[in-house]
Amino acid sequence: MLTVDVIIPTYRPGAEFIKLLDMLEKQLYAPKHIIILNTEKKYFDAFLEQHPGFEEKYNNVIVKHVSKEEFNHGGTRNIGASMSDTDLFLMMTQDAIPKDSMLITNLAKAFADEDVAASYARQYPRPECNLTERYNRKFNYPAESMKKTEADKERLGIKTYFCSNVCAMYKKDIFNKLGGFIDKTIFNEDMIYAGTAMQAGYAIYYAADAAVVHSHNYTCMQQFHRNFDLGVSQIDHPEIFAGLKSESEGVKMVRKSISHFAHIGKHYLIPHYVLLCGSRWIGYKLGRGYKKLPGWFINLCTMNKTYWKQI
């Protein structure tokens, strides 16, 4: 049986993080360690004060602290991977909650195929999730599992390389062979790795039966900032994203969402949804053109301000 560690970057963890740990403790496929990559020690110390007995209860937890200035989406996760000595490791975010006790089991079984470099989970919306985000989850995380290879690029476009570190498992020997995540990236370290793996002849597996509860009710401005960083990551990595159909996939989602709202009689949602999509598109376009923008304007647009101090 392959061994597995769980690696979770945290920032100001709260009560929800305890739910995540409790569900990891209930997994039938038990992790060896839970490695926490925490940004800013003072926030984790405050968390420990609010949860006495934490270290005794979760005695397989290892904590590594980094400063906010040191945190990077790829490099920090590489630190976690280097701390793991297991066959597989599972990347999660602190706000993703396993839906049941089979999450690790269902992700790990994908590696029965020797060419699978990573498997990622289906994401279900939270109970308080709005209808727009609820439908987006359905669009991006369908009910059917799928093994993806480089041969799927023409059919799937940018979705070929889609993989989410909200909940994704990696095979350690392939990960090491490929050099891990890119050390410094503003966003998309998971997709950049997936693209690198596929170009090297490996596969990525979407495990629809591996489930986490995770969603956000982003505002228009939050979508703008997020998609600005998305655009930056794509333009900075043409070796992965150049030539992939990206915007056509977004248009397809917009059309299907509007049709869905009309079908269920929620026409009143359409104007705000169009505004939300416009915010995404403008942010994305500005991000792709960031090299022509002044630094002060980039600072207004980005979601990840510390990244720009690192480059």
Side-chain angles (χ1 to χ4, degrees), residues 12-241:
R12 295 190 175 187
E16 186 176 55
F17 184 54
I18 294 292
K19 293 180 184 178
L20 165 56
L21 294 177
D22 286 344
M23 284 303 298
L24 289 175
E25 292 288 318
K26 294 176 182 177
Q27 293 298 302
L28 294 183
Y29 197 137
K32 182 178 178 183
H33 292 111
I34 298 171
I35 300 169
I36 297 173
L37 303 166
N38 178 69
T39 301
E40 297 295 340
K41 183 175 183 296
K42 61 184 178 181
Y43 296 127
F44 203 82
D45 288 344
F47 169 77
L48 291 178
E49 287 179 10
Q50 295 167 3
H51 297 87
F54 176 91
E55 287 145 325
E56 291 76 19
K57 181 178 180 181
Y58 305 105
N59 55 18
N60 64 337
V61 166
I62 300 170
V63 183
K64 167 76 174 176
H65 298 289
V66 299
S67 69
K68 194 170 183 179
E69 291 71 29
E70 292 172 320
F71 176 83
N72 185 275
H73 282 277
T76 303
R77 286 179 168 86
N78 281 337
I79 292 171
S82 72
M83 295 169 64
S84 172
D85 63 357
T86 51
D87 304 304
L88 308 169
F89 63 87
L90 172 59
M91 286 288 172
M92 297 189 71
T93 54
Q94 69 186 60
D95 58 348
I97 311 298
K99 204 169 187 293
D100 55 36
S101 62
M102 295 295 291
L103 173 69
I104 294 178
T105 301
N106 290 333
L107 286 169
K109 69 184 182 184
F111 298 95
D113 289 350
E114 291 293 321
D115 63 338
V116 171
S119 63
Y120 66 100
R122 187 178 186 182
Q123 295 182 31
Y124 283 83
R126 298 168 180 271
E128 69 276 14
C129 181
N130 62 44
L131 285 175
T132 297
E133 184 64 14
R134 191 173 293 276
Y135 187 74
N136 285 350
R137 282 286 173 272
K138 185 177 180 180
F139 181 85
N140 288 320
Y141 299 95
E144 302 80 25
S145 297
M146 184 192 315
K147 183 179 177 181
K148 301 181 292 183
T149 69
E150 188 76 357
D152 293 308
K153 281 172 64 176
E154 186 61 32
R155 178 173 64 91
L156 296 176
I158 198 166
K159 277 198 166 184
T160 310
Y161 293 164
F162 184 75
C163 180
S164 175
N165 269 344
V166 165
C167 187
M169 184 176 284
Y170 297 86
K171 194 171 184 180
K172 186 71 179 293
D173 59 354
I174 297 176
F175 184 83
N176 289 341
K177 181 180 178 181
L178 296 175
F181 298 118
I182 186 164
D183 261 321
K184 289 189 177 180
T185 180
I186 192 168
F187 202 58
N188 262 347
E189 79 290 337
D190 37 23
M191 285 187 69
I192 294 168
Y193 177 82
T196 302
M198 288 190 187
Q199 289 173 9
Y202 295 104
I204 304 296
Y205 189 81
Y206 166 57
D209 55 353
V212 292
V213 177
H214 174 265
S215 60
H216 295 283
N217 291 328
Y218 285 131
T219 65
C220 289
M221 281 307 299
Q222 286 172 324
Q223 291 284 12
F224 171 86
H225 293 311
R226 181 178 175 84
N227 276 43
F228 179 86
D229 289 356
L230 175 66
V232 169
S233 73
Q234 289 190 10
I235 210 68
D236 277 353
H237 296 283
E239 76 281 5
I240 301 297
F241 297 106

